[in-house]
Amino acid sequence: MLDFSSPVLAMQTAAALAVAAAGLTVVATRKVLAYLRRRQILDHPNERSSHVLPTPRGGGLATTSVLAVLFAALGWRFGGVEGIALGGGALALMALSWWDDRHTLPVLPRFAAHAALIALAVLCVPEDRLVFQGVLPLWADRVLAVLGWLWFVNLYNFMDGIDGITGVETLSLGVGLAVVAVLAGLPGLAPYGGAAAGVAVGFLCFNWHPAKLFLGDSGSVPFGFVLGGLLVLLAAHGQLAAALILPAYYLADATITLVRRALNGEKVWQAHRKHFYQRAVQGGRRHDQVALAIAAGNLLLVGCAAAAAAGFEGAGLAGGVVVTAGLLAVLRHWSRGAAK
């Protein structure tokens, strides 16, 4: 992990990286958007879509490239193997997912590639750092970490279904990781959170409703990989509660929806419109209204995670449950009137 002698320095570095990342992402995204329009690489609406007009898809070519370069640069400059591993893995997943966006890879090979990259990245976690706080032996700790990270990568892709939602979630997690890292005495993680937050801000300039550009798998999958990795590192350094609280809404929405679809005998890997946030849009709310509601909930979750990092784990976890349940209830209320 990066070594910063001062939490203030870590936060200043995180803020500077956020500004730089936002600017670089805007520049890169403009170029990618021009390329996608020129090549007519568009996401055409279908019965499972939440948009009504053909929209360029492939913004991940910009976001992932910027994120990977910044992470690798941080790792190289400060000797942090985690930055190089996460940046390199993000680029590999971008290439794989771009091919999948264009040609549709079978589920099992794609899933296996995700698992292999995650397993390699988990090897970078020092053996004396247990993700689940020593409750499990090392081998079980690592297996469960890989499975959890693998689920997080895929749910990040599943949840990328309306304008602004992935940018909002990435911004929230980036800021939350930086805040929690400093409070927990882990300032070396803060710059990575700042970089992720900045990339999200830059992309939101193009993806806020009505979106001019979609992220595509080449962006959502690498985002899930990088942020999942940072959450694993946070947990491995004693902050499991905070690592679970920060993405609690995403975890709950994706997992509850997956379980429901599985119980109904549906093919859970196929695209659909049954997430809480999608149903809220179908019920009449605009994309930006739903995204802002999620942003507000996430802000409260950052506060709960900060409380956990400050030593009030029980209160933080209880607050996280209440906030997540409340946000899901709001979205469910908004879904009234949506088609069954």
Side-chain angles (χ1 to χ4, degrees), residues 47-50 158-159 161-162 249 252-268 270-282 328 331-332 335 338-340:
E47 68 279 3
R48 298 189 181 99
S49 301
S50 295
F158 297 159
M159 292 289 286
I162 61 170
Y249 161 67
D253 193 329
T255 303
I256 292 170
T257 302
L258 175 75
V259 171
R260 283 177 173 172
R261 296 187 68 220
L263 291 175
N264 289 335
E266 300 176 41
K267 296 178 179 179
V268 296
Q270 289 185 344
H272 62 92
R273 298 175 64 195
K274 296 185 178 180
H275 286 292
F276 284 78
Y277 73 89
Q278 290 172 314
R279 298 284 293 165
V281 170
Q282 293 166 40
L328 292 175
L331 296 176
R332 185 172 182 179
S335 72
K340 298 295 184 181

Side-chain angles (χ1 to χ4, degrees), residues 60-125:
L61 296 177
T63 58
T64 304
S65 297
V66 172
L67 198 62
V69 167
L70 291 175
F71 270 49
L74 281 168
W76 183 268
R77 173 66 179 82
F78 296 100
V81 67
E82 67 276 0
I84 297 171
L86 291 175
L91 283 178
L93 287 172
M94 180 187 74
L96 176 73
S97 300
W98 175 249
W99 182 266
D100 185 33
D101 274 340
R102 305 290 293 129
H103 303 286
T104 308
L105 290 172
V107 174
L108 289 180
R110 184 173 72 243
F111 203 67
H114 293 176
L117 281 168
I118 290 169
L120 287 172
V122 166
L123 292 176
C124 296
V125 180

Side-chain angles (χ1 to χ4, degrees), residues 7 62 93 114 139 158 166 173 195 220 228 234-235 262 278 280 287 322 326 329 340:
L93 287 172
H114 293 176
W139 69 267
F158 297 159
T166 301
L173 290 179
S220 59
L234 192 65
Q278 290 172 314
H287 292 216
V322 171
K340 298 295 184 181

